[in-house]
Amino acid sequence: MSLLLALALQASLVAPEVSRIPAADADQGVAAGVRDLYAIDNNVIARIDRTTGKTVARWEGSKTYYPHINSCILKGQRLVCAASNYPSVPQASSIEMFDARTLKPVASRSLGPGRGSLTWLDWHQGSWWACFAHYGKRGGEPGRDARYTTLVRFDANFVELGAWLFPDSVIGRMAPYSASGGRWNRDGILYISGHDLPELYAVKLPPAGTVLEHVATIAVPTGGQAIDWDPIDPRILWTIDRQQGFLVSSRVPPVLPAK
């Protein structure tokens, strides 16, 4: 590890809280739109007016078909959600799509078993980026712990283009759980959240090899789970306070020098 990277990882970066909105369904994650926010909880999605804080639509699905929706992103007029069969094994995953206004299910794509448990999905540079988690406890498969968590890049038709492991410095902070949330930012950095700790991990693709590079760790006002960037302000990050039931925004400082 270079001296500059070592200093970066030790730096005390803090994302101060900006606002919070009550959301009883905020247990797995949050998705952010220009006019609405979405609280996610396993088989429940609530659409919340970000100006008034009122829930304007709510969907609750069968736990048989939707045992564990982990996270969602807003893409066009759809919510595209990463889902899994957690805590069942073998781990299997699917992508569930909903109308962003009515929250009615509109499509489903089963990915089946193989990679792990799909915790988050993002669209960046013309590709889908998906995180398949592994756990060192409940919900994990024998012989595989958090170190096997994998970032996979797919094309628009979900043909695999590449895959990377997470660095030990990040896995060690998330274990025995894994990467519950992740989003690319406009600065070209991928920001990762774990399951519990109030931290955000900034990583980037390596110039070669199979392991992502850990750029910085940022303190955030809430614990882990799924996250989303605000579409209006690129440095505002939405997270959830699952204990208190809030959607929380914070301002994330730049992790790289301005060009």
Side-chain angles (χ1 to χ4, degrees), residues 8-60:
L9 298 185
Q10 295 170 10
S12 180
L13 296 178
V14 178
E17 183 173 321
V18 175
S19 65
R20 57 177 52 213
I21 296 173
D25 295 309
D27 193 61
Q28 291 298 325
V30 56
V34 173
R35 290 185 289 187
D36 298 303
L37 300 169
Y38 299 85
I40 301 135
D41 180 16
N42 291 320
N43 63 319
V44 173
I45 301 174
R47 180 165 69 91
I48 299 168
D49 186 296
R50 59 187 291 165
T51 300
T52 65
K54 293 182 178 180
T55 297
V56 292
R58 188 177 186 272
W59 167 87
E60 183 170 354

Side-chain angles (χ1 to χ4, degrees), residues 44-150:
V44 173
I45 301 174
R47 180 165 69 91
I48 299 168
D49 186 296
R50 59 187 291 165
T51 300
T52 65
K54 293 182 178 180
T55 297
V56 292
R58 188 177 186 272
W59 167 87
E60 183 170 354
S62 165
K63 291 183 179 180
T64 299
Y65 301 120
Y66 305 94
H68 199 72
I69 297 176
N70 290 293
S71 66
C72 303
I73 63 168
L74 187 63
K75 191 173 188 295
Q77 301 302 311
R78 289 186 173 186
L79 276 177
V80 182
C81 302
S84 70
N85 64 341
Y86 179 88
S88 299
V89 290
Q91 294 170 315
S93 304
S94 67
I95 299 167
E96 307 298 340
M97 286 168 263
F98 302 83
D99 182 283
R101 186 181 65 83
T102 65
L103 303 184
K104 292 182 178 179
V106 294
S108 176
R109 183 184 187 119
S110 175
L111 301 179
R115 274 291 190 181
S117 183
L118 181 64
T119 51
W120 57 265
L121 188 70
D122 198 10
W123 178 258
H124 174 69
Q125 293 186 340
S127 297
W128 289 109
W129 301 77
C131 180
F132 292 91
H134 287 271
Y135 308 102
K137 54 188 307 182
R138 183 172 179 256
E141 294 181 343
R144 293 198 171 192
D145 56 21
R147 294 172 298 173
Y148 286 81
T149 297
T150 305

Side-chain angles (χ1 to χ4, degrees), residues 32-35 50 74 186 228-234 236 238:
V34 173
R35 290 185 289 187
R50 59 187 291 165
L74 187 63
R186 297 179 196 176
D228 203 7
W229 292 106
D230 192 287
I232 301 172
D233 188 331
I236 291 292
W238 286 95

Side-chain angles (χ1 to χ4, degrees), residues 136-246:
K137 54 188 307 182
R138 183 172 179 256
E141 294 181 343
R144 293 198 171 192
D145 56 21
R147 294 172 298 173
Y148 286 81
T149 297
T150 305
L151 173 69
V152 180
R153 183 177 187 174
F154 296 102
D155 70 9
N157 297 312
F158 288 96
V159 175
E160 185 172 322
L161 302 175
W164 297 264
L165 295 172
F166 288 82
D168 289 343
S169 56
V170 173
I171 290 295
R173 302 293 294 172
M174 298 189 297
Y177 291 105
S178 188
S180 293
R183 289 289 181 270
W184 287 98
N185 188 266
R186 297 179 196 176
D187 61 7
I189 298 295
L190 176 61
Y191 292 80
I192 303 296
S193 57
H195 189 272
D196 297 308
L197 294 179
E199 296 177 343
L200 195 64
Y201 311 105
V203 301
K204 64 179 183 178
L205 297 178
T210 61
V211 182
L212 298 167
E213 293 186 2
H214 187 182
V215 177
T217 299
I218 305 110
V220 293
T222 66
Q225 303 305 308
I227 60 177
D228 203 7
W229 292 106
D230 192 287
I232 301 172
D233 188 331
R235 298 312 304 179
I236 291 292
L237 182 76
W238 286 95
T239 61
I240 64 169
D241 181 341
R242 66 192 310 196
Q243 283 74 33
Q244 301 295 322
F246 283 96

